[in-house]
Amino acid sequence: MKRLIIIFTLLLVGCTTNGEDPVKEDTTQEENTITTNEDRTLYIVSFKEYVEDSELEAYGVTKDMIDGDMETLKMKSIFLTDEEKEKLESFDAVSYIEEDGEVSIPEGPSEKNNDAK
């Protein structure tokens, strides 16, 4: 009787599992990661002529990636990954792309420090 129960149990277990560890992670499934602006770098993009946001969509730039629009200067500040930057550089309307950074005026002669004469 014990043998019959053991054989039945083994048979039942063998039929209900496919031999794979159910806890083991499936490595064949690709990760669905979303790149956010926190993962991107802010760039200043200068254009030869003003470009509408909708024109940039063909190059993978969405409205939520655009941080600022300087229409009179024909520039936009846009969050980009390296790959997105390379793709946007291929756009004929782009003059240059430069990483955004702090802008300052170097200290020079002034009336306050009595250097100007």
Side-chain angles (χ1 to χ4, degrees):
M1 185 69 168
K2 287 184 180 179
R3 286 185 185 185
L4 186 59
I5 293 174
I6 292 172
I7 291 172
F8 181 70
T9 305
L10 290 174
L11 188 64
L12 185 62
V13 170
C15 291
T16 58
T17 63
N18 58 7
E20 293 180 12
D21 185 0
V23 180
K24 186 177 177 183
E25 189 175 316
D26 184 10
T27 56
T28 60
Q29 193 176 31
E30 292 198 21
E31 283 186 37
N32 292 331
T33 57
I34 298 172
T35 305
T36 64
N37 286 345
E38 293 172 355
D39 302 323
R40 294 180 171 103
T41 304
L42 187 61
Y43 289 94
I44 301 297
V45 182
S46 176
F47 300 95
K48 295 174 186 168
E49 55 188 59
Y50 183 74
V51 174
E52 295 291 333
D53 295 351
S54 59
E55 294 177 73
L56 296 174
E57 289 178 3
Y59 295 88
V61 177
T62 59
K63 290 185 185 220
D64 61 323
M65 293 166 60
I66 299 172
D67 185 57
D69 190 349
M70 299 160 268
E71 188 173 345
T72 56
L73 297 174
K74 298 182 245 173
M75 297 175 151
K76 293 182 187 283
S77 54
I78 305 173
F79 288 99
L80 301 167
T81 63
D82 291 337
E83 294 82 20
E84 292 165 339
K85 178 182 175 253
E86 288 176 18
K87 186 174 181 181
L88 191 58
E89 285 174 326
S90 69
F91 187 25
D92 290 334
V94 173
S95 296
Y96 68 89
I97 300 177
E98 179 180 316
E99 189 172 338
D100 190 26
E102 186 176 323
V103 178
S104 63
I105 300 172
E107 218 173 293
S110 70
E111 294 178 16
K112 288 183 180 179
N113 60 17
N114 212 14
D115 289 337
K117 293 188 181 186

